[in-house]
Amino acid sequence: MRLYLVQHGEAKSEVEDPERPLTDRGAKTVVQVARWVSDRGLGVGEIRHSGKRRAAETAEILAQHVKPPKGVRAAAGLGPRDNVLLMAAALEHEPESLMLVGHLPFLGRLAGQLVVADAGASVVRFTNAGIVCLWRDQNGWGIDWALPPRLLA
């Protein structure tokens, strides 16, 4: 199973817009990443996001290119400060590849929990619109690759 962890694209500040939608630059960067993912044929069964506007917009852009059979949906437990232990346990029962679009510090803590069983461990660096691919086999979770969007510029 592959798990794609995506930090939402660059968002407006809370002062500019309390809902924090993606900036124009943020949306363009997510499109670049989505095209890269699509061009490589990376498939996922479903894309889940936190429900926050910036994550929902990022997930929708990705879905336009990845076309997950089960679509896109908001899911509980993906907020910036949510409990990663609950998500890590739930992921053990996921049968197919999945993309989660969320926020820091949650994504970093989830990666640490899955890879080294320590949510406080920094195992990979996330960037806006960046993707970290984890894989799970009979031995547990590992980092397969990471794509910071600056590599596509």
Side-chain angles (χ1 to χ4, degrees):
M1 182 235 192
R2 295 207 184 280
L3 176 65
Y4 301 94
L5 301 176
V6 182
Q7 183 182 352
H8 63 78
E10 178 187 84
K12 292 183 178 180
S13 72
E14 213 169 333
V15 173
E16 284 181 277
D17 187 332
E19 288 191 28
R20 303 211 48 218
L22 295 179
T23 63
D24 289 342
R25 183 172 74 176
K28 287 177 187 172
T29 303
V30 174
V31 168
Q32 282 182 308
V33 169
R35 285 183 180 145
W36 185 90
V37 168
S38 176
D39 289 348
R40 274 134 196 92
L42 303 178
V44 296
E46 183 176 40
I47 299 175
R48 297 178 192 162
H49 62 81
S50 69
K52 293 185 180 291
R53 185 166 171 189
R54 58 198 177 273
E57 289 176 352
T58 300
E60 290 295 338
I61 292 168
L62 287 161
Q64 290 170 10
H65 295 271
V66 176
K67 301 184 185 344
K70 293 182 181 175
V72 177
R73 71 176 174 94
L78 293 173
R81 306 235 181 266
D82 285 345
N83 185 338
V84 298
L85 297 176
L86 297 175
M87 182 58 66
L91 289 169
E92 293 302 319
H93 305 289
E94 287 291 338
E96 62 185 349
S97 292
L98 178 66
M99 185 175 283
L100 301 178
V101 181
H103 316 266
L104 295 179
F106 179 82
L107 292 173
R109 293 179 53 76
L110 179 62
Q113 183 61 42
L114 294 174
V115 175
V116 296
D118 180 358
S122 180
V123 296
V124 67
R125 180 168 293 168
F126 285 86
T127 57
N128 287 119
I131 299 179
V132 172
C133 177
L134 304 180
W135 53 268
R136 181 184 69 205
D137 63 14
Q138 66 276 8
N139 297 315
W141 291 94
I143 298 170
D144 195 20
W145 53 265
L147 175 70
R150 64 180 161 70
L151 293 180
L152 301 178

